[in-house]
Amino acid sequence: MEAHSGPTVDLMSRWNELTGETSGNEYAARFAALARSGKDVHGEARFCAALVPAGARVLDAGCGTGRVMIRLAELGYDCVGVDRDASMLAVAREQAPGLPWYQVDLTEFEPDLLGSAAGFDLVVAAGNIFPLLAESTEATVVERLAAALRPGGLMVAGFGLDAAHLPVPPSITLSEYDDYCAAAGLALVDRFATWDADPYEGGGYAVSVHRR
Ligand SMILES: C[S@@+](CC[C@H](N)C(=O)[O-])C[C@H]1O[C@@H](n2cnc3c(N)ncnc32)[C@H](O)[C@@H]1O
C-alpha cells in the first residue's frame, strides 16, 4: 500500500464528539425497536447483495454494532468488520461472536492489520461514516479503503448531506467525496437517493457506488 500523509487518530472523530464512543447499547436498542415496529433495517445489506454475489469478500468500514454485516453474513457473504468504537464492537461481538470484528481506526486501516491481503470485492460504509470522521481525514480514509479493494471491486457509501439527514453539522459534499475517490483511483458508477436505489435527484442523502 502506498504511504499516505495527513491527520490520523489523534483527531477526535465527530462520532466520538457526538457519543463519547459509549453508545453501543443505545444504538443497538434503537434499531431493535425500529425492527420490532416493522421498519426495514436491512436496506443497506440488501443493496450490497444486489451488487455482488453471495460468497464475495466484504469489508464493513465503520461496522458499528454489526447491523449491516451480520445480515450480509447471514446471506452468505465473507465479511470483516472494522470500527474504532469499543462500545459498538462489544455489541457486534455479543450478537455474532463467530464473525471477525476488528478495532481499527479507518485513518490507519490496512488489510494487513487483519492478517489478510487486500482484495475485497466490496467495501460498504453505511450509516454516515464519512460525515462522522474527524475533520479533514476523509481523503485519507477513502484512500485507505480504496486500497483494500481488488481491481474492479466496489465501494458503497451512504451519507447525509444536509442537517435534516445528519446528527452532526453537514461537512463532506458529494463533489468532495467524488474528488477523494478519483484521487484514490475510484470511478463513480452510480448514485442513488436511498438504499432502495431510488434515483438521486439532488436531495440531502446519497448512496454512491464507485469502482476501483
Ligand atoms: C452511525 S454509526 C454506523 C454503524 C454501522 N455502519 C451502521 O450502519 O449501523 C457510525 C460508525 O462510524 C464509526 N467511525 C467513525 N469514525 C471512525 C474512524 N475514524 N475509524 C473507525 N470507525 C469510525 C463509529 O465508531 C460508528 O460505529
Coordinates of all heavy atoms in Angstrom, one line a residue, residues 72-155:
L72 N -25.4 -9.4 6.2 CA -24.7 -9.9 5.0 C -24.1 -11.3 5.2 O -24.1 -12.1 4.3 CB -23.6 -8.9 4.6 CG -24.1 -7.6 3.9 CD1 -22.9 -6.6 3.8 CD2 -24.6 -8.0 2.5
A73 N -23.6 -11.5 6.4 CA -23.1 -12.8 6.7 C -24.2 -13.9 6.7 O -24.0 -15.0 6.1 CB -22.4 -12.8 8.1
E74 N -25.4 -13.5 7.1 CA -26.5 -14.4 7.1 C -26.8 -14.8 5.6 O -27.3 -15.9 5.3 CB -27.7 -13.8 7.7 CG -27.7 -13.8 9.2 CD -28.8 -12.9 9.9 OE1 -29.5 -12.3 9.1 OE2 -28.8 -12.9 11.1
L75 N -26.6 -13.8 4.7 CA -26.9 -14.0 3.3 C -25.8 -14.7 2.6 O -25.8 -14.9 1.3 CB -27.2 -12.7 2.6 CG -28.4 -11.9 3.1 CD1 -28.5 -10.5 2.5 CD2 -29.7 -12.7 2.8
G76 N -24.7 -15.1 3.3 CA -23.6 -15.9 2.7 C -22.4 -15.1 2.3 O -21.5 -15.7 1.6
Y77 N -22.2 -13.9 2.7 CA -21.0 -13.1 2.4 C -19.9 -13.4 3.3 O -20.2 -13.7 4.5 CB -21.4 -11.6 2.3 CG -22.3 -11.3 1.1 CD1 -23.7 -11.5 1.2 CD2 -21.7 -11.0 -0.2 CE1 -24.5 -11.3 0.1 CE2 -22.6 -10.8 -1.3 CZ -23.9 -11.0 -1.1 OH -24.7 -10.8 -2.2
D78 N -18.7 -13.2 2.8 CA -17.5 -13.4 3.6 C -17.1 -12.1 4.1 O -16.4 -11.3 3.4 CB -16.4 -14.1 2.7 CG -15.1 -14.3 3.4 OD1 -15.1 -14.2 4.6 OD2 -14.2 -14.7 2.7
C79 N -17.4 -11.8 5.4 CA -17.4 -10.4 5.9 C -16.3 -10.1 6.9 O -16.0 -11.0 7.7 CB -18.7 -10.0 6.5 SG -20.1 -10.1 5.4
V80 N -15.8 -8.9 6.9 CA -14.9 -8.5 8.0 C -15.4 -7.1 8.4 O -15.7 -6.2 7.6 CB -13.4 -8.3 7.5 CG1 -12.5 -7.7 8.6 CG2 -12.9 -9.7 7.0
G81 N -15.5 -6.9 9.7 CA -16.0 -5.6 10.2 C -14.9 -4.8 11.0 O -14.1 -5.4 11.8
V82 N -14.7 -3.5 10.7 CA -13.8 -2.7 11.4 C -14.4 -1.4 11.9 O -15.3 -0.8 11.2 CB -12.5 -2.3 10.5 CG1 -11.8 -3.6 10.1 CG2 -12.9 -1.6 9.3
D83 N -14.1 -1.1 13.1 CA -14.6 0.1 13.7 C -13.7 0.5 14.8 O -12.9 -0.3 15.3 CB -16.0 -0.1 14.3 CG -16.8 1.2 14.5 OD1 -16.5 1.9 15.4 OD2 -17.8 1.4 13.7
R84 N -13.7 1.8 15.3 CA -12.8 2.1 16.4 C -13.5 2.2 17.7 O -12.9 2.4 18.8 CB -12.0 3.4 16.1 CG -12.8 4.6 15.7 CD -12.0 5.9 16.0 NE -12.0 6.1 17.4 CZ -11.0 6.7 18.1 NH1 -9.9 7.0 17.5 NH2 -11.0 6.9 19.4
D85 N -14.9 2.2 17.7 CA -15.7 2.4 18.9 C -15.9 1.1 19.7 O -16.6 0.2 19.2 CB -17.0 3.0 18.5 CG -17.9 3.3 19.7 OD1 -17.7 2.7 20.8 OD2 -18.8 4.2 19.6
A86 N -15.2 0.9 20.8 CA -15.3 -0.4 21.5 C -16.7 -0.7 22.0 O -17.1 -1.9 22.0 CB -14.3 -0.3 22.8
S87 N -17.5 0.3 22.3 CA -18.8 0.1 22.8 C -19.7 -0.5 21.6 O -20.6 -1.4 21.9 CB -19.5 1.3 23.4 OG -19.9 2.2 22.3
M88 N -19.5 0.0 20.4 CA -20.2 -0.6 19.3 C -19.7 -2.0 19.0 O -20.6 -2.9 18.8 CB -20.0 0.3 18.0 CG -20.5 1.8 18.2 SD -22.3 1.9 18.2 CE -22.6 2.1 16.4
L89 N -18.4 -2.2 19.0 CA -17.9 -3.5 18.7 C -18.3 -4.5 19.7 O -18.5 -5.7 19.4 CB -16.4 -3.4 18.6 CG -15.8 -2.8 17.3 CD1 -14.3 -2.6 17.4 CD2 -16.2 -3.6 16.1
A90 N -18.5 -4.1 21.0 CA -18.9 -5.0 22.0 C -20.2 -5.6 21.7 O -20.5 -6.9 21.9 CB -18.9 -4.3 23.4
V91 N -21.1 -4.8 21.2 CA -22.5 -5.3 20.8 C -22.3 -6.3 19.6 O -22.9 -7.4 19.6 CB -23.4 -4.2 20.4 CG1 -24.7 -4.7 19.9 CG2 -23.6 -3.2 21.6
A92 N -21.5 -5.9 18.6 CA -21.3 -6.8 17.4 C -20.8 -8.1 17.9 O -21.3 -9.2 17.4 CB -20.4 -6.1 16.5
R93 N -19.8 -8.1 18.8 CA -19.2 -9.4 19.2 C -20.2 -10.2 20.0 O -20.2 -11.4 19.9 CB -17.9 -9.1 20.0 CG -16.8 -8.5 19.2 CD -15.5 -8.4 20.0 NE -14.4 -8.0 19.1 CZ -13.7 -6.8 19.2 NH1 -13.9 -6.0 20.2 NH2 -12.8 -6.6 18.3
E94 N -21.0 -9.5 20.8 CA -22.0 -10.3 21.5 C -23.0 -10.9 20.6 O -23.5 -12.1 20.8 CB -22.7 -9.3 22.5 CG -23.5 -10.0 23.6 CD -24.2 -8.9 24.4 OE1 -23.5 -8.0 24.9 OE2 -25.4 -9.0 24.6
Q95 N -23.4 -10.2 19.6 CA -24.5 -10.7 18.7 C -24.0 -11.7 17.7 O -24.8 -12.6 17.3 CB -25.2 -9.5 18.0 CG -25.9 -8.6 18.9 CD -26.8 -7.5 18.2 OE1 -26.7 -7.4 17.0 NE2 -27.6 -6.9 19.0
A96 N -22.7 -11.6 17.3 CA -22.2 -12.5 16.3 C -20.8 -12.9 16.7 O -19.8 -12.4 16.0 CB -22.3 -11.9 14.9
P97 N -20.6 -13.7 17.7 CA -19.2 -13.9 18.2 C -18.3 -14.7 17.2 O -17.1 -14.6 17.2 CB -19.4 -14.8 19.5 CG -20.8 -15.2 19.5 CD -21.6 -14.3 18.6
G98 N -19.0 -15.3 16.2 CA -18.2 -16.1 15.3 C -17.7 -15.3 14.1 O -16.9 -15.8 13.3
L99 N -18.1 -14.0 14.0 CA -17.6 -13.2 12.9 C -16.4 -12.4 13.2 O -16.2 -12.1 14.4 CB -18.8 -12.3 12.4 CG -20.0 -13.0 11.9 CD1 -21.1 -11.9 11.4 CD2 -19.7 -13.9 10.7
P100 N -15.6 -12.0 12.2 CA -14.4 -11.2 12.5 C -14.6 -9.7 12.7 O -15.0 -9.1 11.7 CB -13.5 -11.5 11.3 CG -14.4 -11.9 10.2 CD -15.7 -12.4 10.8
W101 N -14.4 -9.2 13.9 CA -14.6 -7.8 14.2 C -13.2 -7.3 14.7 O -12.6 -7.9 15.5 CB -15.6 -7.7 15.4 CG -16.9 -8.3 15.2 CD1 -17.3 -9.5 15.8 CD2 -17.9 -7.9 14.3 NE1 -18.6 -9.8 15.3 CE2 -19.0 -8.9 14.4 CE3 -18.1 -6.9 13.4 CZ2 -20.2 -8.8 13.7 CZ3 -19.3 -6.8 12.7 CH2 -20.3 -7.8 12.8
Y102 N -12.8 -6.1 14.1 CA -11.5 -5.6 14.5 C -11.7 -4.1 14.9 O -12.4 -3.3 14.3 CB -10.6 -5.6 13.3 CG -10.2 -7.0 12.9 CD1 -10.9 -7.7 12.0 CD2 -9.0 -7.6 13.4 CE1 -10.6 -9.0 11.6 CE2 -8.6 -8.9 13.0 CZ -9.4 -9.6 12.1 OH -9.1 -10.8 11.7
Q103 N -11.0 -3.8 16.0 CA -11.0 -2.4 16.5 C -9.8 -1.7 15.8 O -8.7 -1.9 16.1 CB -10.8 -2.3 18.0 CG -11.0 -0.9 18.5 CD -11.1 -0.7 20.0 OE1 -10.7 -1.7 20.7 NE2 -11.5 0.4 20.4
V104 N -10.2 -0.9 14.8 CA -9.2 -0.2 13.9 C -9.7 1.2 13.6 O -10.9 1.3 13.3 CB -9.0 -1.0 12.6 CG1 -8.0 -0.2 11.7 CG2 -8.5 -2.4 12.8
D105 N -8.9 2.2 13.6 CA -9.3 3.5 13.2 C -9.1 3.5 11.6 O -8.1 3.1 11.1 CB -8.4 4.6 13.8 CG -9.0 5.9 13.5 OD1 -9.1 6.3 12.3 OD2 -9.5 6.6 14.5
L106 N -10.2 3.9 10.9 CA -10.1 3.8 9.5 C -9.0 4.7 8.9 O -8.6 4.4 7.8 CB -11.5 4.3 8.9 CG -12.6 3.3 9.2 CD1 -14.0 3.9 8.7 CD2 -12.4 1.9 8.6
T107 N -8.6 5.7 9.6 CA -7.5 6.5 9.1 C -6.2 5.7 9.0 O -5.2 6.1 8.4 CB -7.2 7.8 9.9 OG1 -6.9 7.4 11.2 CG2 -8.4 8.7 9.8
E108 N -6.1 4.6 9.8 CA -4.9 3.8 9.8 C -5.2 2.4 9.3 O -4.3 1.5 9.5 CB -4.5 3.7 11.3 CG -4.2 5.1 11.9 CD -3.5 4.9 13.2 OE1 -3.8 4.0 14.0 OE2 -2.5 5.8 13.4
F109 N -6.3 2.2 8.6 CA -6.7 0.9 8.2 C -5.7 0.3 7.1 O -5.4 1.0 6.1 CB -8.1 0.8 7.6 CG -8.4 -0.5 7.1 CD1 -8.7 -1.6 7.9 CD2 -8.5 -0.7 5.7 CE1 -8.9 -2.8 7.4 CE2 -8.8 -2.0 5.2 CZ -9.0 -3.0 6.0
E110 N -5.3 -0.9 7.3 CA -4.5 -1.6 6.3 C -5.0 -3.0 6.4 O -5.1 -3.6 7.5 CB -3.0 -1.6 6.5 CG -2.4 -0.2 6.4 CD -0.9 -0.3 6.6 OE1 -0.3 -1.3 6.2 OE2 -0.4 0.7 7.1
P111 N -5.3 -3.7 5.2 CA -5.8 -5.1 5.3 C -4.8 -6.0 6.1 O -5.2 -6.9 6.7 CB -5.9 -5.5 3.8 CG -6.0 -4.2 3.1 CD -5.3 -3.2 3.9
D112 N -3.5 -5.7 6.0 CA -2.5 -6.5 6.7 C -2.8 -6.5 8.2 O -2.5 -7.5 8.9 CB -1.1 -6.0 6.5 CG -0.6 -6.3 5.1 OD1 -1.3 -7.0 4.4 OD2 0.5 -5.8 4.8
L113 N -3.4 -5.5 8.7 CA -3.8 -5.4 10.2 C -4.7 -6.6 10.5 O -4.8 -7.0 11.6 CB -4.5 -4.1 10.5 CG -3.6 -2.8 10.4 CD1 -4.5 -1.6 10.6 CD2 -2.5 -2.9 11.5
L114 N -5.5 -7.0 9.5 CA -6.4 -8.1 9.7 C -5.8 -9.5 9.5 O -6.5 -10.5 9.6 CB -7.7 -8.0 8.8 CG -8.2 -6.6 8.6 CD1 -9.4 -6.6 7.6 CD2 -8.7 -6.0 10.0
G115 N -4.6 -9.5 9.1 CA -3.9 -10.7 8.8 C -4.4 -11.3 7.4 O -4.3 -12.4 7.1
S116 N -4.9 -10.4 6.6 CA -5.4 -10.8 5.2 C -4.9 -9.8 4.2 O -4.7 -8.6 4.5 CB -6.9 -10.9 5.2 OG -7.4 -9.7 5.3
A117 N -4.7 -10.3 3.0 CA -4.2 -9.4 1.9 C -5.4 -8.5 1.5 O -6.5 -8.8 1.7 CB -3.7 -10.2 0.8
A118 N -5.0 -7.5 0.8 CA -6.1 -6.6 0.1 C -6.8 -7.5 -0.9 O -6.3 -8.5 -1.3 CB -5.4 -5.4 -0.5
G119 N -7.9 -7.0 -1.3 CA -8.6 -7.7 -2.3 C -10.1 -7.9 -2.0 O -10.7 -8.9 -2.4
F120 N -10.7 -7.0 -1.3 CA -12.1 -7.1 -1.0 C -12.9 -6.8 -2.3 O -12.5 -6.0 -3.1 CB -12.5 -6.1 0.1 CG -12.1 -6.5 1.5 CD1 -10.9 -6.1 2.0 CD2 -12.9 -7.4 2.2 CE1 -10.5 -6.5 3.2 CE2 -12.5 -7.8 3.5 CZ -11.2 -7.4 4.0
D121 N -14.0 -7.5 -2.5 CA -14.9 -7.3 -3.6 C -15.7 -6.1 -3.4 O -16.1 -5.4 -4.3 CB -15.8 -8.5 -3.8 CG -15.0 -9.8 -4.1 OD1 -14.3 -9.8 -5.1 OD2 -15.1 -10.7 -3.3
L122 N -16.0 -5.8 -2.1 CA -16.9 -4.7 -1.8 C -16.5 -4.1 -0.5 O -16.2 -4.8 0.5 CB -18.4 -5.2 -1.7 CG -19.4 -4.2 -1.3 CD1 -19.7 -3.2 -2.5 CD2 -20.7 -4.9 -0.9
V123 N -16.4 -2.8 -0.4 CA -16.3 -2.1 0.9 C -17.6 -1.3 1.0 O -18.1 -0.6 0.1 CB -15.2 -1.1 0.9 CG1 -15.2 -0.2 2.1 CG2 -13.8 -1.8 0.8
V124 N -18.3 -1.5 2.2 CA -19.5 -0.7 2.5 C -19.3 0.2 3.6 O -18.7 -0.2 4.7 CB -20.7 -1.7 2.7 CG1 -20.5 -2.7 3.8 CG2 -22.0 -0.9 3.0
A125 N -19.7 1.4 3.5 CA -19.6 2.4 4.5 C -21.0 3.0 4.7 O -21.4 3.9 4.0 CB -18.6 3.5 4.2
A126 N -21.7 2.3 5.6 CA -23.2 2.7 5.8 C -23.3 3.5 7.1 O -22.5 3.3 8.0 CB -24.0 1.4 5.9
G127 N -24.3 4.3 7.2 CA -24.5 5.0 8.5 C -23.7 6.2 8.7 O -23.1 6.4 9.7
N128 N -23.6 7.0 7.6 CA -23.0 8.4 7.7 C -21.5 8.3 8.1 O -21.0 9.2 8.8 CB -23.7 9.2 8.7 CG -25.1 9.7 8.2 OD1 -25.2 10.0 7.0 ND2 -26.1 9.7 9.1
I129 N -20.8 7.3 7.7 CA -19.4 7.2 8.2 C -18.6 8.4 7.8 O -17.9 9.0 8.6 CB -18.7 5.9 7.5 CG1 -19.5 4.6 7.9 CG2 -17.2 5.8 8.0 CD1 -19.6 4.4 9.4
F130 N -18.7 8.9 6.5 CA -17.8 10.0 6.1 C -18.1 11.3 6.9 O -17.1 11.9 7.3 CB -17.8 10.1 4.6 CG -17.0 9.0 4.0 CD1 -17.6 7.9 3.4 CD2 -15.6 9.0 4.0 CE1 -16.9 6.8 2.9 CE2 -14.8 8.0 3.5 CZ -15.5 6.9 2.9
P131 N -19.3 11.7 7.0 CA -19.5 12.9 7.8 C -19.2 12.7 9.3 O -19.1 13.7 10.0 CB -21.0 13.1 7.7 CG -21.4 12.4 6.5 CD -20.5 11.2 6.4
L132 N -19.0 11.5 9.8 CA -18.7 11.3 11.2 C -17.2 11.1 11.5 O -16.8 10.9 12.7 CB -19.5 10.1 11.7 CG -21.0 10.3 11.8 CD1 -21.8 9.0 12.1 CD2 -21.4 11.3 12.9
L133 N -16.4 11.1 10.5 CA -15.0 11.0 10.7 C -14.5 12.3 11.3 O -15.1 13.3 11.3 CB -14.3 10.8 9.3 CG -14.6 9.5 8.6 CD1 -13.9 9.6 7.2 CD2 -14.0 8.3 9.4
A134 N -13.2 12.3 11.8 CA -12.6 13.5 12.2 C -12.4 14.4 11.0 O -12.2 14.0 9.9 CB -11.2 13.2 12.9
E135 N -12.5 15.7 11.3 CA -12.4 16.7 10.2 C -11.1 16.5 9.5 O -10.0 16.3 10.1 CB -12.4 18.1 10.9 CG -12.4 19.2 9.9 CD -12.5 20.6 10.5 OE1 -12.7 20.7 11.8 OE2 -12.2 21.6 9.9
S136 N -11.1 16.6 8.2 CA -10.0 16.5 7.2 C -9.3 15.2 7.2 O -8.2 15.1 6.8 CB -9.1 17.7 7.4 OG -8.5 17.7 8.6
T137 N -10.0 14.2 7.7 CA -9.4 12.8 7.5 C -10.1 12.0 6.4 O -9.8 10.9 6.1 CB -9.5 12.0 8.8 OG1 -10.9 11.8 9.1 CG2 -8.8 12.6 9.9
E138 N -11.1 12.7 5.8 CA -11.9 11.9 4.8 C -11.1 11.4 3.6 O -11.3 10.2 3.2 CB -13.1 12.9 4.3 CG -14.0 13.4 5.4 CD -13.6 14.7 6.0 OE1 -12.4 15.1 5.9 OE2 -14.4 15.3 6.7
A139 N -10.3 12.2 3.1 CA -9.5 11.8 1.9 C -8.6 10.6 2.3 O -8.4 9.6 1.5 CB -8.7 12.9 1.3
T140 N -8.0 10.7 3.4 CA -7.2 9.6 3.9 C -7.9 8.3 4.0 O -7.5 7.2 3.6 CB -6.5 9.9 5.3 OG1 -5.8 11.1 5.1 CG2 -5.7 8.8 5.8
V141 N -9.2 8.4 4.6 CA -10.0 7.2 4.7 C -10.4 6.6 3.4 O -10.3 5.4 3.2 CB -11.2 7.4 5.7 CG1 -12.1 6.3 5.7 CG2 -10.7 7.7 7.1
V142 N -10.8 7.5 2.5 CA -11.1 7.0 1.1 C -9.9 6.2 0.5 O -10.1 5.1 0.0 CB -11.6 8.1 0.2 CG1 -11.7 7.7 -1.2 CG2 -12.9 8.7 0.7
E143 N -8.8 6.8 0.7 CA -7.5 6.2 0.1 C -7.3 4.8 0.7 O -7.0 3.9 0.0 CB -6.4 7.2 0.4 CG -5.0 6.7 -0.1 CD -3.9 7.5 0.4 OE1 -4.1 8.7 0.7 OE2 -2.8 7.0 0.6
R144 N -7.4 4.8 2.0 CA -7.2 3.5 2.8 C -8.2 2.4 2.3 O -7.8 1.3 2.1 CB -7.3 3.7 4.2 CG -6.3 4.7 4.8 CD -5.2 3.9 5.5 NE -3.9 4.5 5.4 CZ -2.8 4.0 5.9 NH1 -2.9 2.8 6.5 NH2 -1.7 4.6 5.9
L145 N -9.4 2.8 2.2 CA -10.5 1.8 1.8 C -10.3 1.4 0.4 O -10.5 0.2 0.0 CB -11.9 2.4 2.1 CG -12.1 2.7 3.6 CD1 -13.5 3.2 3.8 CD2 -11.9 1.4 4.4
A146 N -10.0 2.4 -0.5 CA -9.8 2.0 -1.9 C -8.7 1.0 -2.1 O -8.8 0.1 -2.9 CB -9.5 3.3 -2.7
A147 N -7.6 1.2 -1.3 CA -6.5 0.3 -1.4 C -6.8 -1.1 -1.0 O -6.1 -2.1 -1.3 CB -5.3 0.8 -0.6
A148 N -7.9 -1.3 -0.2 CA -8.3 -2.6 0.3 C -9.1 -3.4 -0.8 O -9.4 -4.6 -0.6 CB -9.1 -2.5 1.6
L149 N -9.6 -2.6 -1.8 CA -10.4 -3.3 -2.9 C -9.5 -4.0 -3.9 O -8.4 -3.5 -4.2 CB -11.2 -2.2 -3.6 CG -12.4 -1.6 -2.9 CD1 -12.9 -0.4 -3.8 CD2 -13.5 -2.7 -2.8
R150 N -10.0 -5.1 -4.4 CA -9.4 -5.7 -5.6 C -9.7 -4.8 -6.8 O -10.7 -4.0 -6.8 CB -9.9 -7.1 -5.9 CG -11.3 -7.2 -6.3 CD -11.7 -8.5 -6.9 NE -13.1 -8.6 -7.1 CZ -13.8 -8.1 -8.1 NH1 -13.2 -7.4 -9.0 NH2 -15.1 -8.3 -8.2
P151 N -8.8 -4.8 -7.9 CA -9.2 -4.1 -9.1 C -10.6 -4.6 -9.5 O -10.9 -5.8 -9.6 CB -8.1 -4.6 -10.1 CG -7.0 -4.9 -9.2 CD -7.5 -5.5 -8.0
G152 N -11.4 -3.6 -9.8 CA -12.8 -3.9 -10.2 C -13.8 -4.0 -9.0 O -15.0 -4.0 -9.2
G153 N -13.2 -4.0 -7.8 CA -14.1 -4.0 -6.6 C -14.8 -2.7 -6.4 O -14.5 -1.7 -7.0
L154 N -15.9 -2.8 -5.6 CA -16.8 -1.6 -5.5 C -16.7 -1.1 -4.1 O -16.6 -1.8 -3.1 CB -18.2 -2.1 -5.7 CG -18.5 -2.6 -7.1 CD1 -19.9 -3.2 -7.2 CD2 -18.4 -1.5 -8.2
M155 N -16.9 0.3 -4.0 CA -17.1 0.9 -2.7 C -18.4 1.6 -2.7 O -18.7 2.4 -3.6 CB -16.0 1.9 -2.4 CG -16.2 2.6 -1.1 SD -14.6 3.0 -0.3 CE -14.5 4.7 -0.7

